[in-house]
Amino acid sequence: MSKSAASIDVAPPYRALTMHDVSPRPTHDEAARFDFLSNFNKFLSGALGPGNAVTYEKNVLPEFTKQHGREPKDRFEIRHAMNEDPFHQLWSAAKRNSMEMRQQNGRAMVLRQIDTPDAKARELNESAPDTLQLNPDIEVPRYQSAVDIHCMPGSYHGEERPGDVSAGANYDCGIFATTAGGLGALSDGGGQALAEWWQKERPGVSPKRILDIGCTVGHNVVPLALAFPDAEIVAIDTAAPSLRYAHARAQSLGATNITFIQANAEDLSRWADGHFDWVQTTMFLHETSGTALPRIIQECGRVLGDGGLMLHLEQPQYSDEMSLFEQFLRDWDAFNNNEPFWSSMHALDLKQQMIDAGFTKDNLFVTGVRAVVDTDIFPQQAADAKEDHGRAAVWNAYGAWKGGKPA
């Protein structure tokens, strides 16, 4: 990126992405649309987004106080009031339209050439059949099938035709625009950060068995496989189309020590107690229901061995330390981005959920994880950068060591 481009904080170009064997190839116009959308998202979050706080303090809050004789009591009252504000309406509509345009461009790009990624995925998957295990008896949970999550047509499990990879290909090609390129050349900066975090926490120790839950297309598990080539790694999801794509993608990138399995994390009975020494999710728990989440945490704890690590990357849980306005702003995805469980999940006491699953309070921790990217092309978060509601590629990690962190 040139100094002049960096000085005006533009997103890296779509053409800077690394293409693997099953990546959909963009035309000039498709790449240009993604370039527009990634910079549009940077503008919405960085330049325009702060206007929400300004209009709240100057317009919405005074009017609410005048009408009710008090300030809003929760994030929901703020939402109803802000939804009447012209500035917030403009920002919210633009943000929603950005996601819809991202999905339209990605899906059109995939379907234009679907024969090619389908054929390549089939070739790669058939060359390593033991590491892709699909099960047609696994039902997609209603909390996954009831809506098109992220406005993605068909969500993670939709098929244009039986046995295709269109859902995974669309997810993979468009995440660049959603994150404004902040996750690096393979959109795997989060996974690289996980590997780096382990290596700092447990220098010289390699995990033997890792379970990645809700893997989608493998952005976060492939870096673990490459960092720990001797580890036995299992990645599960309920969406067969995403798994077909994920397995082919991993094979093309040389991550051959991952077994992708179609399974529901609410039932991990195929694995014995204590089988894994690292169990994780990455931005997954907010897409599960209030009934499913405790079951998943319980199962994570059961299959984790003594001294093992459970780690969940998410945005911060709502708490008394977070203002009601900030909670409202973070809730936008629940009501506008087809994330119906976002609000309720982030209001949970995730630490208590872990305690209920058998972990002791002394063995719980919260840390920050920031994306690791190619700094020659992609923007690197500052060393002291903190999670900022999608405005920075930094997450909270809610973790627990079973029985205590090993020496």
Side-chain angles (χ1 to χ4, degrees):
M1 185 185 299
S2 68
K3 290 184 178 180
S4 60
S7 66
I8 59 174
D9 192 28
V10 299
Y14 192 78
R15 295 288 186 182
L17 292 186
T18 297
M19 295 289 163
H20 50 76
D21 288 348
V22 286
S23 294
R25 267 52 178 181
T27 63
H28 171 277
D29 288 359
E30 289 161 348
R33 290 188 195 104
F34 274 140
D35 284 336
F36 162 75
L37 289 169
S38 62
N39 284 286
F40 188 41
N41 281 325
K42 283 183 73 72
F43 174 74
L44 288 174
S45 62
L48 205 61
N52 286 297
V54 174
T55 195
Y56 177 68
E57 292 293 336
K58 290 189 174 183
N59 302 317
V60 176
L61 180 58
E63 181 62 25
F64 184 96
T65 304
K66 179 181 178 180
Q67 288 185 15
H68 300 275
R70 59 173 176 82
E71 294 191 357
K73 64 182 179 181
D74 56 35
R75 63 189 187 276
F76 304 111
E77 285 194 340
I78 295 178
R79 179 173 68 88
H80 289 303
M82 285 289 287
N83 281 347
E84 299 300 317
D85 178 75
F87 176 86
H88 180 68
Q89 290 175 351
L90 170 67
W91 176 84
S92 184
K95 192 171 171 67
R96 168 71 183 214
N97 273 279
S98 174
M99 181 58 77
E100 291 182 352
M101 287 188 288
R102 168 263 174 274
Q103 298 296 356
Q104 291 167 359
N105 191 49
R107 183 165 171 78
M109 180 170 130
V110 169
L111 295 185
R112 173 181 59 78
Q113 57 190 297
I114 188 59
D115 288 347
T116 301
D118 266 5
K120 190 61 182 179
R122 191 177 307 111
E123 175 189 338
L124 289 165
N125 291 340
E126 290 177 353
S127 70
D130 294 339
T131 48
L132 176 61
Q133 301 175 17
L134 302 181
N135 182 356
D137 293 331
I138 295 295
E139 295 184 6
V140 176
R142 178 161 172 74
Y143 56 79
Q144 289 283 317
S145 64
V147 297
D148 287 343
I149 297 173
H150 304 151
C151 308
M152 182 166 60
S155 195
Y156 304 106
H157 54 273
E159 293 180 323
E160 179 66 16
R161 57 192 183 191
D164 79 357
V165 297
S166 59
N170 182 18
Y171 184 88
D172 190 26
C173 74
I175 196 170
F176 162 86
T178 307
T179 61
L183 294 180
L186 280 168
S187 298
D188 64 352
Q192 291 193 51
L194 288 170
E196 185 179 86
W197 182 88
W198 175 281
Q199 289 162 340
K200 288 180 178 178
E201 286 292 311
R202 304 213 59 203
V205 178
S206 295
K208 295 179 181 178
R209 296 189 182 99
I210 302 172
L211 174 63
D212 183 56
I213 295 173
C215 66
T216 319
V217 300
H219 287 138
N220 300 299
V221 72
V222 166
L224 299 184
L226 297 176
F228 308 111
D230 296 327
E232 171 194 319
I233 302 179
V234 174
I236 69 170
D237 206 293
T238 58
S242 294
L243 287 170
R244 293 186 200 106
Y245 186 88
H247 180 260
R249 178 182 179 277
Q251 290 290 312
S252 74
L253 293 171
T256 57
N257 56 324
I258 311 172
T259 301
F260 290 89
I261 299 176
Q262 189 174 6
N264 188 325
E266 296 177 62
D267 179 11
L268 302 176
S269 57
R270 63 186 294 158
W271 292 287
D273 295 0
H275 182 77
F276 296 97
D277 52 12
W278 182 353
V279 178
Q280 69 164 43
T281 67
T282 303
M283 293 300 288
F284 166 75
L285 294 182
H286 68 265
E287 293 183 357
T288 64
S289 71
T291 301
L293 187 145
R295 294 175 182 167
I296 292 171
I297 299 294
Q298 288 278 348
E299 281 290 82
C300 286
R302 183 187 64 78
V303 299
L304 190 63
D306 289 339
L309 170 70
M310 180 168 69
L311 196 66
H312 302 288
L313 261 65
E314 277 287 346
Q315 292 180 8
Q317 301 303 97
Y318 301 160
S319 67
D320 293 339
E321 287 76 38
M322 183 183 291
S323 71
L324 293 180
F325 177 81
E326 182 68 12
Q327 293 178 30
F328 144 74
L329 199 60
R330 290 171 180 269
D331 252 11
W332 184 90
D333 289 273
F335 299 96
N336 301 282
N337 195 31
N338 291 12
E339 298 270 20
F341 303 105
W342 178 282
S343 182
S344 58
M345 179 268 159
H346 283 93
L348 283 176
D349 185 340
L350 198 53
K351 291 183 178 179
Q352 187 60 52
Q353 294 290 326
M354 295 181 183
I355 292 171
D356 292 345
F359 293 88
T360 61
K361 186 176 181 180
D362 291 343
N363 293 328
L364 305 182
F365 65 90
V366 178
T367 188
V369 175
R370 66 189 180 100
V372 176
V373 298
D374 179 352
T375 56
D376 291 336
I377 303 173
F378 295 91
Q380 174 68 65
Q381 301 298 327
D384 59 350
K386 297 181 180 180
E387 190 281 334
D388 192 25
H389 186 40
R391 298 179 287 265
V394 182
W395 305 271
N396 269 29
Y398 294 85
W401 296 98
K402 189 170 183 179
K405 182 181 177 181

